Amino acid sequence: MPAVAEMLKASEAAVVSRVSLRDINRVIDEHILPDAFVSLDNGRHVLAGACSLIAFYFESARRLTSEERLFAIRTAEARLTKARTLPWAALLREDWTVHHEFLTIDLMPFMRGASERLDDLAAAREIVTASPDVLGGTPVIRGTRVPVYDVAASVAAGHSVERILEAWPSLDAENIKLASIYAEANPLRGRPRVSGDIPEGSVIITDRRVPVVGRRDEVSDR
């Protein structure tokens, strides 16, 4: 698991916080998250431990006012600053209740949630590998030649786990889950590469061919 003090990329922080990348940029730009938990050097980064506070801010929006949420974050700031050198297991043994006038806010569920998603992120990092000798350096699931982003794209397209496993028998359900997490935490830049090749180890489920209507046909119909 990433350490409490590790600085995550904005896209990774979005996954761990279970919010959008736009929300991550918002907590940075609007200083919702304390500046001590943010780094702007060489890209935007967020303290791993602070992802719990980001999750709290957005998930509690319907029940708490902005003032109450910001108060909880500012109160937790000092505690998290002191605990940032601790392992996550020790962090989860701390008291994360915040008292604000007549309110008592428990941040522990958000700490646990962030901890679990950091475990998933660490597993996703571990399962992905890239080598110039395998598909020209394309990131693949470790021990296979299955491109990670192809699997994630299949999930995003709404294909069932069963159908994806038919296409790539060397995978399992956990591989598919982690491939999606990795792709979300490390989004590709630019237009995705289009290839007509079937990845090694896959099988064709359907083969639909659509006739292309050329300009000559279009002209003759006029």
Side-chain angles (χ1 to χ4, degrees):
M1 175 191 295
V4 175
E6 180 177 338
M7 301 301 288
L8 303 179
K9 296 182 301 184
S11 55
E12 293 176 324
V15 170
V16 176
S17 304
R18 206 161 52 187
V19 300
S20 67
L21 183 57
R22 181 178 181 180
D23 289 333
I24 295 296
N25 288 324
R26 178 186 168 191
V27 298
I28 295 174
D29 294 336
E30 298 181 13
H31 301 281
I32 293 170
L33 201 63
D35 291 343
F37 298 158
V38 173
S39 172
L40 301 180
D41 297 333
N42 194 27
R44 295 185 162 203
H45 293 77
V46 174
L47 184 77
C51 289
S52 55
L53 303 182
I54 299 174
F56 159 74
Y57 183 83
F58 289 103
E59 289 184 32
S60 62
R62 293 185 178 181
R63 297 187 177 184
L64 301 176
T65 66
S66 176
E67 178 185 355
E68 290 165 342
R69 287 178 286 151
L70 289 175
F71 177 86
I73 290 175
R74 295 297 177 264
T75 303
E77 176 184 1
R79 301 180 193 177
L80 188 55
T81 298
K82 292 180 180 179
R84 64 191 298 169
T85 58
L86 298 176
W88 269 98
L91 194 72
L92 295 177
R93 290 194 293 268
E94 297 288 312
D95 178 15
W96 292 102
T97 55
V98 174
H99 301 283
H100 179 57
E101 297 180 353
F102 60 89
L103 280 178
T104 297
I105 302 171
D106 185 8
L107 297 175
M108 181 58 79
F110 303 98
M111 290 289 176
R112 290 199 188 99
S115 174
E116 292 170 1
R117 291 188 290 275
L118 279 166
D119 277 336
D120 287 341
L121 177 62
R125 289 174 174 175
E126 181 63 27
I127 204 174
V128 176
T129 184
S131 169
D133 299 329
V134 179
L135 300 181
T138 299
V140 298
I141 303 294
R142 189 177 298 277
T144 75
R145 294 174 64 86
V146 179
V148 172
Y149 290 100
D150 286 4
V151 177
S154 295
V155 174
H159 299 318
S160 67
V161 171
E162 292 75 16
R163 181 175 179 181
I164 296 172
L165 291 178
E166 284 184 40
W168 291 292
S170 58
L171 302 185
D172 57 32
E174 184 69 7
N175 294 154
I176 296 171
K177 168 190 170 184
L178 295 178
S180 292
I181 291 173
Y182 182 89
E184 187 178 356
N186 301 276
L188 288 172
R189 294 182 178 180
R191 181 177 299 177
R193 179 177 62 86
V194 177
S195 174
D197 296 331
I198 300 297
E200 182 176 324
S202 66
V203 296
I204 298 176
I205 299 172
T206 60
D207 185 10
R208 297 180 180 178
R209 300 181 184 276
V210 180
V212 177
V213 179
R215 289 187 176 182
R216 183 172 300 176
D217 294 330
E218 295 175 358
V219 174
S220 62
D221 290 339
R222 293 181 182 176

